[in-house]
Amino acid sequence: MLTVSNLCASYGAIQAVRGVSLTVRAGALCVLLGANGAGKSTTLRSIAGLHRPVQGSIRLGEAEISRLPTHRVVRSGLALVPEGRMVVAPLSVEENLVLSGFAGRGGEASEIERVYALFPRLKERRAQKAGLLSGGEQQMLAIGRALMTKPQMMVLDEPSMGLAPSIVDLVFEAIVALHGQGQSILLVEQNAAIALSVADYGYVMKRGEVVMEGPPEALRDNPEVLEAYLS
Ligand SMILES: Nc1ncnc2c1ncn2[C@@H]1O[C@H](COP(=O)(O)OP(=O)(O)OP(=O)(O)O)[C@@H](O)[C@H]1O
Ligand SMILES: [Mg+2]
């Protein structure tokens, strides 16, 4: 379980995240929605140890992780699939996966097979340089890299960004499959319709704050959710 309490994060004078609290239960697929600049990525980057919060607590299970460097956050069981994928372009698909395995708690061949079972296309391209993959394949590889660390909690920042609709469907099918395997997931998305169709709980951020939360049915038809996207 991931518990974020009263998280505040800034860039100089810009208060990007102002008192965010959220919980992702073990096995849940939780979505964090919000318009451009709402503070979603800053929240995720703070959770993953890539941005030092000004204030607040971030707990993974019982462990406080808010002051840990990223490599220790990963080792404690939390993996971020960052905005913009961040694969290692000159290395092959398989080298990217093996490398990520070393960062985590696993690294065994069985994890690679798990990734290839989820994304057969990556297995076909295993010797291909990551930089030569399509955007969708790079997103699959970014998810695969996170899985190689055997995360207790997986955190994804806008995996649908810039992808063709058919590829978005493939990526979401994989997210649903992982959820079905019991993987705990926190997902940031701007595409509210698709995110709420797969999530079992949701939060809406606006200008650095959580303005609404609830089960997807409650958020889906709420006019304020639409409003939060338009402002
Ligand atoms: N590196 C940075 N330096 C200064 N300000 C930043 C930086 N990154 C983000 N911000 C500001 O912090 C606020 C929150 O940004 P953040 O990237 O967390 O939002 P977001 O919800 O992820 O938006 P998007 O949907 O565009 O990805 C915005 O006002 C943004 O301009
Ligand atoms: Mg963002």
Side-chain angles (χ1 to χ4, degrees):
M1 179 157 114
L2 175 70
T3 317
V4 175
S5 313
N6 192 30
L7 180 72
C8 298
S10 302
Y11 300 99
I14 300 167
Q15 292 184 292
V17 176
R18 298 182 292 160
V20 164
S21 296
L22 57 86
T23 301
V24 186
R25 293 186 194 291
L29 170 42
C30 181
V31 66
L32 179 58
L33 303 170
N36 279 321
K40 307 180 298 297
S41 293
T42 306
T43 300
L44 290 200
R45 289 169 51 77
S46 301
I47 291 171
L50 291 167
H51 187 84
R52 183 54 41 112
V54 174
Q55 185 179 317
S57 153
I58 303 166
R59 276 183 294 133
L60 187 61
E62 294 304 312
E64 176 67 41
I65 60 168
S66 63
R67 302 284 146 195
L68 296 183
T70 302
H71 68 277
R72 297 222 11 232
V73 172
V74 172
R75 223 155 254 166
S76 69
L78 186 136
L80 172 70
V81 181
E83 203 170 15
R85 351 251 201 240
M86 312 291 260
V87 297
V88 186
L91 297 185
S92 73
V93 166
E94 191 142 310
E95 286 164 344
N96 266 269
L97 293 174
V98 169
L99 198 63
S100 298
F102 292 125
R105 307 177 294 177
E108 298 108 73
S110 62
E111 291 309 304
I112 293 201
E113 288 311 319
R114 184 180 176 216
V115 173
Y116 287 156
L118 190 68
F119 297 118
R121 201 187 289 212
L122 289 184
K123 188 166 190 172
E124 291 164 21
R125 309 271 151 103
R126 64 204 293 172
Q128 172 94 266
K129 283 196 186 354
L132 300 177
L133 299 175
S134 70
E137 290 162 349
Q138 287 191 1
Q139 186 62 65
M140 294 172 197
L141 181 55
I143 294 171
R145 292 188 65 192
L147 283 175
M148 290 301 294
T149 70
K150 289 190 170 179
Q152 181 187 325
M153 182 69 55
M154 191 162 169
V155 177
L156 297 108
D157 197 350
E158 299 206 41
S160 71
M161 193 170 58
L163 302 182
S166 62
I167 309 297
V168 171
D169 288 348
L170 270 182
V171 168
F172 269 81
E173 276 168 27
I175 291 169
V176 168
L178 287 172
H179 179 43
Q181 293 167 15
Q183 177 70 57
S184 310
I185 300 170
L186 173 59
L187 169 68
V188 157
E189 256 301 327
Q190 279 209 48
N191 186 337
I194 191 163
L196 290 173
S197 72
V198 299
D200 41 34
Y201 200 77
Y203 293 87
V204 182
M205 275 186 83
K206 187 177 177 181
R207 297 194 196 102
E209 294 176 278
V210 170
V211 291
M212 213 176 314
E213 66 172 275
E217 314 77 71
L219 296 179
R220 198 175 290 138
D221 302 320
N222 191 315
E224 285 181 60
V225 172
L226 284 176
E227 196 266 333
Y229 280 92
L230 296 174
S231 60

